[in-house]
Amino acid sequence: RQTLNDPIMRYFLGDIRDLPRMKRAFEGIDFVIHAAAVKQVPALEYNPDEAIKTNIIGSGNVIDAALHTGVKKVVALSTDKAALPINLYGATKLVADKLFVAANNISGGKDTTFSVVRYGNVLGSRGSVVPFFKSCLEKNQGFLPITDERMTRFSLTIEEGVKFVIKSFERMKGGEIFVPKVPSYKIVDVARALDSSIELKMVGVRPGEKLHEVLIPADVSSRTLEYSSFYVIKPAMVFDRQTDLSTTQDGEKGSPVSDGFEYRSDQNPEFFSIKDLTELCKSV
């Protein structure tokens, strides 16, 4: 609020678990970005009820409030962990994805449309690896903890994520899951980008953590379209208001991917080099 203090901005206290508060906050609103979630993987393995209350029930409240107040478009933010989930966080986000896709079937005569944006780790976001490694270096503990030297992740910057989400409002017709084409990185390369000579100590994978992430599973390749800088996963069901999703709202036409196509962080054709990561880490 101190930074973004333009008169157009308003700030509310509230919780997405509180449906009446959501309805009041959505009054007079045209576009909603649903970014609220509890997402710390090990903590949610220990506190599963809290994940369900916020990530699933809270997401349902966003849908109900948007329909109640006549919001035009809603984009929900997903995660690579929602594809082939092995932890509770990913499972709750997969359910949230399905709620938002299916919401296009319950809108009735209202013009509200819902879509999803799914991407990987945001470089430098709270709790992510770069701030964590930097805090380790500041403590002078003499090593960086590495879960597994084989580990890879998708990644994009905060600015890239914001631009992609805003662009999705122009592209969406309702029911799509938008997936940007982004580079991957190796966890050991991030460590080397921050300190090329420090010891790397293998500590093992945390509860519910994957070695590699998937943004598009092979099982949905039959309904995945490729565009110049992103993919679209089409919904599994036919909507009451049938929409051709092969062309985006702003006119770009997609092409079907090959059968069995999978978008995985370890098989990504584009990887950040250590030099790339060194420059990126300076800005985090």
Side-chain angles (χ1 to χ4, degrees), residues 1 29 32 44 52 99 111 139 142-143 184 263 265 271 273:
R1 186 171 186 174
I29 299 300
V32 170
L44 297 187
I52 292 167
L99 286 173
D111 292 330
K139 294 174 184 175
F143 67 91
S184 296
Y263 194 29
S265 61
F271 266 82
S273 67

Side-chain angles (χ1 to χ4, degrees), residues 13 16 28 39 54 62 87 90 102 104 114 141 146 150 157 168 179 195 214 234 237 249 252 263 269-270:
L13 292 177
I16 63 168
K39 63 177 188 175
T54 295
V62 173
N87 52 57
N104 293 280
F114 301 84
Q141 62 188 29
I146 303 293
R150 298 167 294 172
T157 65
S168 296
V179 179
D195 190 324
V214 177
K234 297 187 294 183
M237 82 284 291
Q249 187 66 37
E252 185 174 354
Y263 194 29
E270 185 178 2

Side-chain angles (χ1 to χ4, degrees), residues 23 28 35 81 103 128 152 154 175 179 186 192 220 225 251 263 276:
K23 289 179 178 179
K81 294 171 182 62
S128 64
T152 62
F154 289 106
V179 179
K186 298 176 182 177
R192 292 300 181 211
V220 301
L225 299 170
Y263 194 29
D276 295 331

Side-chain angles (χ1 to χ4, degrees), residues 209-230:
E209 193 172 34
K210 293 181 180 181
L211 280 182
H212 310 291
E213 293 287 7
V214 177
L215 280 169
I216 302 175
D219 289 341
V220 301
S221 62
S222 61
R223 47 189 176 91
T224 299
L225 299 170
E226 181 176 11
Y227 297 80
S228 58
S229 61
F230 62 97

Side-chain angles (χ1 to χ4, degrees), residues 107-126:
S107 55
K110 298 181 181 294
D111 292 330
T112 308
T113 52
F114 301 84
S115 294
V116 175
V117 166
R118 177 186 292 170
Y119 49 66
N121 296 271
V122 176
L123 200 68
S125 61
R126 185 176 60 184

